[in-house]
Amino acid sequence: MEWENHTILVEFFLKGLSGYPRLELLLFALIFIMCVVILLGNGTLILISILDPHLHTPMYFFLGNLSFLDICYTTTSIPSTLVSLRSERKTISLFGCAVQMFLGLAMGTTECVLLGMTAFDCYVAVCNPLRYPIIMSKDAYVSMAAGSWIIGAVNSAVQTVFVVQLPFCRNNIINHFTYEILVVMKLACADISGNEFIMLMATTLFILTPLLLIIVSYTLIIVSIFKISSSEERSKAFSTSSAHLTVVIIFYGTILFMYLKPKSKKTLNSDYLEATDKIISIFYGVMTPMLNPLIYSLRNKDVKEAVKHLL
């Protein structure tokens, strides 16, 4: 094959915003502050879900898992982004790149599945309140959360192994801030159609299927809420699910914006448009974990009371 005459690459260069040093400094400061907010906000939610007996329910168990997931994502991906913004050396080994790809994909998949599980929990709470303790028993919701983490790890491990086995021998410049698996895969000097098929199947199973579950669950929830005669009960049912629905809209909305928006055509300002896309992708990765605890705190009376009690 053609690539046999080339040197096999063992490291990659992360381009980032190399042409905008002042912008890199500004982004470093903003992302660092947002990272601190993420750790404090999600750490507080985990703490109150453990210490407050009133929050020992399936809903807050899933919320605690989501907060822990956001902390894991922040501590594994944001530091490397901060280093790439301020360090002159922006190279990484193939092994380091593989670790970053695995962690990012594993946590992204786990969050999609967890959001689907949380939507199902909201559906049972609103539409089948009498059967809720039976359907959402401790064994059931613990198994659902554990299954989400296992699915994320297995999916990411399979895809990462297939990408690492590809030969990289021409271009080693990753034109991004993070080591996204699709970006790295496209640098391979071999046929990647098999990898793309695996990714398509995984996306359908672990991203679109939870989204379909969320859509069906909330359709049934909204129909059920409108059937409630008491305005007080209707308001209570709506507040039970509104915070989670807001998080789902932000999470999937940013994903759809990033990956389904029209690609910028090559123009005189193509470098500027490319830099803008990179900045948007950074804030997509940081903004969602930062907003999650704020949304749950502002939209949920139980969380507000638990935070006041903790303080």
Side-chain angles (χ1 to χ4, degrees), residues 69 72-74 76 102-112 149 152:
L69 188 68
C72 289
Y73 175 79
T74 302
T76 55
F102 169 78
L103 292 173
L105 185 58
M107 282 175 261
T109 305
T110 303
E111 181 149 7
C112 289
W149 286 92

Side-chain angles (χ1 to χ4, degrees), residues 12-301:
F12 296 93
F13 176 81
L14 199 64
K15 187 176 180 181
L17 286 174
S18 301
Y20 302 88
R22 292 184 179 179
L23 187 57
E24 283 189 333
L25 180 60
L26 176 62
L27 282 175
F28 177 88
L30 288 174
I31 293 171
F32 180 79
I33 293 171
M34 294 169 76
C35 183
V36 173
V37 174
I38 289 169
L39 296 177
L40 289 175
N42 287 285
T44 301
L45 276 180
I46 293 173
L47 198 59
I48 62 173
S49 66
I50 293 173
L51 297 179
D52 195 319
H54 298 95
L55 303 184
H56 292 175
T57 63
M59 179 177 129
Y60 295 105
F61 180 77
F62 287 127
L63 176 58
N65 272 266
L66 286 170
S67 294
F68 180 67
L69 188 68
D70 287 338
I71 289 176
C72 289
Y73 175 79
T74 302
T75 53
T76 55
S77 65
I78 302 302
S80 64
T81 301
L82 293 175
V83 169
S84 70
L85 285 169
R86 300 307 304 149
S87 174
E88 294 183 2
R89 179 177 173 81
K90 299 177 184 291
T91 57
I92 188 172
S93 66
L94 179 60
F95 175 76
C97 183
V99 171
Q100 289 284 338
M101 286 190 298
F102 169 78
L103 292 173
L105 185 58
M107 282 175 261
T109 305
T110 303
E111 181 149 7
C112 289
V113 180
L114 266 176
L115 287 173
M117 299 296 184
T118 311
F120 176 75
D121 173 67
C122 290
Y123 159 73
V124 178
V126 174
C127 300
N128 293 284
L130 297 179
R131 297 183 60 195
Y132 182 81
I134 300 173
I135 298 174
M136 297 301 298
S137 63
K138 186 174 182 178
D139 291 340
Y141 67 75
V142 169
S143 299
M144 290 163 69
S148 301
W149 286 92
I150 293 171
I151 288 171
V154 172
N155 173 50
S156 183
V158 170
Q159 294 202 53
T160 303
V161 167
F162 277 104
V163 171
V164 170
Q165 290 179 346
L166 293 170
F168 299 93
C169 50
R170 292 180 190 144
N171 182 14
N172 70 332
I173 298 176
I174 300 175
N175 192 13
H176 212 280
F177 278 107
T178 57
Y179 308 95
E180 287 190 2
I181 193 165
L182 183 60
V183 176
V184 176
M185 189 169 67
K186 288 183 176 179
L187 297 179
C189 45
D191 181 21
I192 61 171
S193 57
N195 299 75
E196 290 177 332
F197 177 75
I198 293 171
M199 182 171 287
L200 176 63
M201 294 298 295
T203 301
T204 303
L205 282 174
F206 306 127
I207 296 180
L208 298 182
T209 301
L211 178 59
L212 180 61
L213 176 62
I214 291 168
I215 293 172
V216 172
S217 296
Y218 276 99
T219 301
L220 296 173
I221 287 171
I222 292 170
V223 171
S224 179
I225 288 175
F226 280 119
K227 290 181 179 179
I228 299 174
S229 57
S230 171
S231 59
E232 184 179 346
E233 290 295 324
R234 193 185 305 122
S235 176
K236 183 179 178 181
F238 181 76
S239 65
T240 301
S241 54
S242 59
H244 177 255
L245 183 58
T246 306
V247 170
V248 168
I249 291 172
I250 292 174
F251 180 77
Y252 276 100
T254 47
I255 288 179
L256 293 174
F257 174 79
M258 282 302 303
Y259 293 103
L260 297 183
K261 67 184 177 65
K263 299 297 181 183
S264 304
K265 295 181 180 180
K266 296 294 181 181
T267 64
L268 293 175
N269 294 321
S270 60
D271 290 340
Y272 173 77
L273 293 172
E274 192 177 80
T276 303
D277 286 345
K278 293 177 187 176
I279 294 171
I280 291 172
S281 70
I282 289 180
F283 282 99
Y284 152 68
V286 179
M287 194 69 72
T288 305
M290 186 182 73
L291 289 177
N292 285 355
L294 295 176
I295 292 169
Y296 281 111
S297 299
L298 295 174
R299 301 295 296 272
N300 194 300
K301 188 182 295 185

